[in-house]
Amino acid sequence: MKRFDSVDDVRALIAEWREAGGTVALAPTMGNLHKGHMSLVARAAGEADHVVVSVFVNPTQFGPNEDYEDYPRTLDVDARRLSRAGVDLLFAPSVETMYPDGVDVATTVNVPGLSDVLEGEHRPGHFEGVTSVVCRLFNICSPDVAVFGQKDYQQFVILRRMVADLQLPVRLVAGPTEREKNGLAMSSRNGYLDKDQQEMATAIYKSLQQAQTELLDGARAYTELEQFAEERITAAGLGPEYVAIREAEDFSMPGSSSTDLVVLAAARLGTVRLIDNLTVKL
Ligand code: PAF
């Protein structure tokens, strides 16, 4: 596996692959890789001839009071894991490489509307940071396919809109959420939780599952279902930020004849913020 931090090196290697007729899949990550990431890497390998994984803790998607400084950085361990998984190229740029004139004056990409609701309401500017960095990664790596986790459902929908709107020649693939045995969605932030907290945090998934079951059983009192799920999360000792049942396509409010829904939740456990979601086909 090659490990580069320079844009020119990445472009040169990918150009070589392309000249030989190869296709390229990109799996963007912020590192501290777990089984969830590795399943995206495996998916990427199934989608193209060459796999590029980027590891970049992107400062522009963290709010001022979020965990940018403390976010776990484990690049050497990540690199060994990626190499064993058969990844061709690890791109691990510095902040200066991604934002040469500094983050404050950097050109941004914003997807209005979709970025302002749900997670966007609780994390202002977060999705602009995500779209701004992913657009750069696409320009640097020119992938045919890019793979993202369904755990960040809203992120995926926003990136899909960005790709369509900016006519970017890349196909997006969503990989399913990997879960611990107890149901907790895998996340680098789970590492901030002790054993008991990891058990408490399963209330998020359980409440989503319950809402999913009730929707499948015909319940359509969306607000009531959301409230019930929030109460269950609160009862487990977490602070829910929201549980929302929305149209899966664009997060608009569902009606009585909706067919494709998503139930999304965000909750705090101590200082840790966790998200999860389940899609529901009616
Ligand atoms: O999902 C993530 O880990 C990040 O938001 C991403 C897509 C790598 C952009 O920094």
Side-chain angles (χ1 to χ4, degrees), residues 28-30 37 56 58 61 126 130 133-134 148 152 155 159:
T29 79
M30 297 206 302
H37 294 111
F56 178 62
N58 173 34
Q61 69 187 77
H126 167 66
V130 171
V133 80
V134 171
F148 297 88
D152 295 298
Q155 166 173 285
L159 290 171

Side-chain angles (χ1 to χ4, degrees), residues 60-73:
T60 65
Q61 69 187 77
F62 289 80
N65 299 317
E66 293 185 359
D67 53 348
Y68 174 65
E69 297 297 340
D70 298 334
Y71 198 85
R73 289 160 171 86

Side-chain angles (χ1 to χ4, degrees), residues 5 56 92-99:
D5 55 15
F56 178 62
S94 65
V95 173
E96 291 69 34
T97 296
M98 295 305 280
Y99 300 104

